[in-house]
C-alpha cells in the first residue's frame, strides 16, 4: 500500500465506510430508492447518518442538487420535511413520484388496469414512430412502449406510469447488457456479453418489462409507505438552483453536487426525455464538460447555489456536502460561498460492479455560514 493510501485509510470514518457485507445491494436500493436506475446517487444509509449527526430532529432539510431524491426520501423516513431542487426534468418527475403520498388501493388498481389493457392492445407496428424510438427499439418493443404511453393520460397516477414507462424503455433499448448507462449506438445483433460471459441478444420486446416494473413500483411505494414518518412532506422544485426561490427557512442542507466531466445527468435518461416529451434544460446543468472554462463556470455556479442555500439555513445550521473532489476545487468553492469548513470526514466507497471496480474515496464536508461562526 502506498503512503498516500495509508494516509487516506488513517483518516477514514469507519461508521460511514460500509462494506458490501454490511450493506448489501437490497439495503442500498430499498423501497422507492430503486424505482428507476440513476447513476451518481449517494446511498440512503449515508444520508440517514448525516441527518442524524448534523440536522436537528424534525428540522426541514434542503437538497439543492437533489437528483433521484435520496435526501428527500431519507428525510421523510427520518421524520423531517424536505425540499429538493433539480435542473433535470426527469429527476424532478422521479422525485415527485417517490415522495408523493398515495391512496395505495387506487394506485395498485390503476397500474394493474394499465398492464391488463396493454396485454389486450393489438401490438401492430405504428406508422408514426418517432425517429429516436425507431432507432433504439425493435419494432415490437417500440409498439408496446407507444401503446403504454397512449394509456397514461387516462389515469390519476399518470406520473407513476410515466416512471414505469421510462424504466421499461431503459431496459428495452437495443443495447448490450454491460452498457446500459451510456450506450453510444444501437446493438442490433448478438454480441459477446462481458457481464454474463456468453453470447447475448438485444431485447426485442417491452411488455414484460412494463408488467414487471408496474408491479415492482406498487410494491416499492407500499414498502416506503410503511416506513415514512407520518405528517411529513417533501416538495420538489424543477429548475436551476442558481435562480429558483429556495423558500426556507431550513434546519440544514444535505447535498451531493455534480462534478465536472463525470456524468451528464440529462443524457443518462435520454429515452425518458424522448418518450415523455420532457423539457430539456441541459445547458443549465452544472458540471458538463471539463475544459478550464467549464470547470471555472462549475465552481462559480456551485458556490452560488451553496451560498443561496446557506442564506436560507437557520443560524447554526450545517451545510453538508458529499463530494469526491479530485481536482481540489472545494476549498475555493466554500470560500466563494461564504462557508467555513467545520470538519471533513472521509469515507471509503465500495464500488459494486467488476467493470467499474477500483477503490474510491469520498469526502463529507461539514460547513457553516462564516457570519454565524
Ligand atoms: C450528484 S447528483 C445528485 C444525486 C443525489 N444526491 C441522489 O442521491 O440522487 C447532482 C444533481 O445535480 C443536478 N444539477 C446540475 N446542475 C444543476 C443546477 N444548475 N440546478 C439544480 N440542479 C442541478 C443534476 O441534474 C444531478 O441530478
Amino acid at each position: 500500500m502506498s503512503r498516500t493510501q495509508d494516509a487516506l485509510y488513517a483518516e477514514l470514518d469507519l461508521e460511514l465506510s460500509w462494506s458490501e457485507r454490511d450493506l448489501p445491494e437490497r439495503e442500498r436500493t430499498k423501497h422507492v430508492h430503486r424505482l428507476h436506475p440513476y447513476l451518481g446517487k449517494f446511498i440512503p444509509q449515508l444520508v440517514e447518518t448525516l441527518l442524524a449527526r448534523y440536522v436537528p430532529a424534525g428540522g426541514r432539510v434542503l437538497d439543492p442538487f437533489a437528483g433521484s431524491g435520496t435526501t428527500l426520501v431519507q428525510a421523510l423516513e427520518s421524520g423531517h420535511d424536505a425540499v429538493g431542487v433539480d435542473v433535470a426534468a426527469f429527476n424532478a418527475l422521479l422525485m415527485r413520484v417517490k415522495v408523493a403520498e398515495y391512496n395505495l388501493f387506487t394506485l395498485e388498481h390503476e397500474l394493474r388496469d394499465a398492464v391488463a389493457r396493454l396485454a389486450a392492445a393489438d401490438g401492430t407496428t405504428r406508422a408514426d414512430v418517432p425517429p429516436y424510438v425507431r432507432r433504439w427499439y425493435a419494432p415490437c418493443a417500440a409498439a408496446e412502449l407507444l401503446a403504454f404511453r397512449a394509456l397514461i393520460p387516462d389515469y390519476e397516477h399518470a406520473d407513476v406510469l410515466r416512471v414505469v414507462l421510462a424504466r421499461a424503455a431503459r431496459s428495452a433499448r437495443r443495447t448490450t447488457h454491460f452498457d446500459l448507462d451510456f450506450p453510444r449506438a444501437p446493438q442490433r445483433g448478438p454480441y459477446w456479453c462481458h457481464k454474463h460471459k456468453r453470447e447475448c441478444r438485444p431485447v426485442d420486446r417491452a411488455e414484460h418489462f412494463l408488467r414487471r416494473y408496474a408491479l415492482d413500483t406498487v410494491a416499492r411505494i407500499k414498502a416506503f409507505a410503511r416506513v415514512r414518518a407520518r405528517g411529513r412532506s417533501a416538495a420538489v422544485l424543477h429548475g436551476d438552483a442558481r435562480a429558483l426561490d429556495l423558500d426556507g427557512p431550513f434546519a440544514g442542507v444535505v447535498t451531493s453536487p455534480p462534478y465536472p466531466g463525470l456524468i451528464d445527468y440529462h443524457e443518462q435518461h435520454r429515452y425518458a426525455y424522448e418518450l415523455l416529451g420532457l423539457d430539456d434544460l441541459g445547458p443549465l446543468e452544472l458540471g458538463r464538460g471539463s475544459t478550464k472554462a467549464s470547470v471555472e463556470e462549475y465552481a462559480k455556479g456551485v458556490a452560488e447555489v451553496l451560498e443561496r442555500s446557506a442564506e436560507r439555513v437557520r443560524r447554526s445550521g450545517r451545510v453538508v456536502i458529499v463530494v469526491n473532489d479530485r481536482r481540489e476545487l472545494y476549498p475555493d468553492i466554500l470560500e466563494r460561498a461564504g462557508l467555513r469548513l467545520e470538519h471533513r470526514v472521509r469515507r471509503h466507497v465500495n464500488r459494486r460492479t467488476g467493470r467499474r471496480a477500483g477503490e474510491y474515496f469520498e469526502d463529507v464536508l461539514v460547513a457553516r455560514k462564516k457570519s454565524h461562526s
Side-chain angles (χ1 to χ4, degrees):
M1 195 191 297
S2 71
R3 284 180 60 183
T4 1
Q5 253 186 332
D6 269 341
L8 281 172
Y9 280 112
E11 289 180 28
L12 280 185
D13 182 325
L14 291 175
E15 206 201 332
L16 298 181
S17 303
W18 295 273
S19 70
E20 179 69 32
R21 191 141 43 103
D22 299 333
L23 212 48
E25 184 173 1
R26 66 167 191 286
E27 292 292 322
R28 301 192 303 260
T29 57
K30 60 182 178 171
H31 52 70
V32 291
H33 291 297
R34 191 59 165 83
L35 275 198
H36 189 285
Y38 174 102
L39 197 64
K41 58 172 126 187
F42 44 27
I43 55 171
Q45 290 76 12
L46 174 62
V47 178
E48 194 178 348
T49 312
L50 297 178
L51 289 170
R53 280 191 193 176
Y54 303 115
V55 181
R60 192 157 166 250
V61 184
L62 170 68
D63 185 347
F65 298 110
S68 66
T70 313
T71 303
L72 272 53
V73 169
Q74 280 315 121
L76 292 175
E77 206 180 310
S78 300
H80 300 268
D81 292 314
V83 173
V85 183
D86 206 281
V87 74
F90 180 70
N91 301 350
L93 168 71
L94 180 58
M95 283 194 268
R96 285 198 181 105
V97 166
K98 287 181 179 181
V99 303
E101 285 195 88
Y102 297 93
N103 174 326
L104 296 171
F105 178 80
T106 316
L107 178 73
E108 179 160 1
H109 174 75
E110 288 201 344
L111 267 70
R112 286 184 183 277
D113 187 64
V115 167
R117 285 172 69 197
L118 179 70
D122 87 51
T124 45
T125 311
R126 304 155 50 121
D128 57 343
V129 180
Y132 176 91
V133 177
R134 194 179 293 282
R135 179 167 147 79
W136 282 97
Y137 298 93
C140 203
E144 288 161 356
L145 292 169
L146 295 176
F148 192 77
R149 184 177 73 172
L151 300 175
I152 290 178
D154 296 349
Y155 296 97
E156 181 187 333
H157 298 303
D159 279 347
V160 181
L161 290 164
R162 289 189 178 99
V163 169
V164 171
L165 175 66
R167 189 171 167 196
R170 182 179 189 276
S171 300
R173 282 170 304 169
R174 285 168 155 158
T175 169
T176 57
H177 289 132
F178 52 83
D179 199 14
L180 282 162
D181 292 333
F182 290 103
R184 255 154 281 191
Q187 175 73 35
R188 289 164 192 275
Y191 59 94
W192 175 254
C193 182
H194 300 289
K195 192 170 165 188
H196 300 115
K197 306 269 178 270
R198 60 177 157 82
E199 189 175 88
C200 287
R201 291 171 176 279
V203 280
D204 55 6
R205 300 286 308 264
E207 191 190 339
H208 57 301
F209 290 124
L210 288 159
R211 193 176 344 106
R212 189 196 308 161
Y213 296 156
L215 300 180
D216 182 63
T217 297
V218 173
R220 287 179 178 278
I221 290 176
K222 281 184 175 174
F224 182 47
R226 288 195 288 273
V227 296
R228 60 187 288 169
R230 278 166 188 267
R232 296 292 174 180
S233 64
V236 175
L237 307 176
H238 173 221
D240 185 348
R242 288 168 292 187
L244 285 179
D245 181 1
L246 299 178
D247 198 4
F250 296 98
V253 172
V254 175
T255 195
S256 66
Y259 205 74
L262 279 190
I263 296 171
D264 183 326
Y265 287 96
H266 279 81
E267 201 49 41
Q268 70 162 300
H269 302 125
R270 177 56 44 211
Y271 47 89
Y273 288 85
E274 298 286 343
L275 273 159
L276 299 173
L278 302 171
D279 234 13
D280 188 332
L281 300 186
L284 297 175
E285 185 183 315
L286 289 164
R288 275 186 160 181
S290 45
T291 61
K292 204 168 165 219
S294 41
V295 172
E296 170 49 31
E297 195 195 326
Y298 165 87
K300 184 167 168 275
V302 172
E304 216 175 309
V305 172
L306 294 178
E307 183 176 15
R308 300 182 81 234
S309 304
E311 272 165 16
R312 299 279 183 270
V313 171
R314 286 186 203 284
R315 218 180 138 76
S316 84
R318 265 48 170 265
V319 177
V320 181
I321 306 152
V322 179
V323 72
N324 173 13
D325 189 14
R326 62 189 74 166
R327 289 185 173 83
E328 298 190 10
L329 301 172
Y330 274 76
D332 172 55
I333 290 177
L334 295 188
E335 184 63 36
R336 291 195 204 194
L339 292 170
R340 181 176 64 86
L341 184 67
E342 234 177 31
H343 62 276
R344 188 192 72 177
V345 175
R346 178 150 283 165
R347 75 179 210 98
H348 187 189
V349 181
N350 265 347
R351 309 239 64 192
R352 281 161 285 158
T353 61
R355 297 201 97 226
R356 277 191 240 133
E359 288 208 303
Y360 137 63
F361 299 85
E362 215 168 55
D363 283 335
V364 179
L365 310 175
V366 183
R368 275 193 194 186
K369 271 182 284 193
K370 274 191 176 155
S371 48
H372 292 153
S373 49

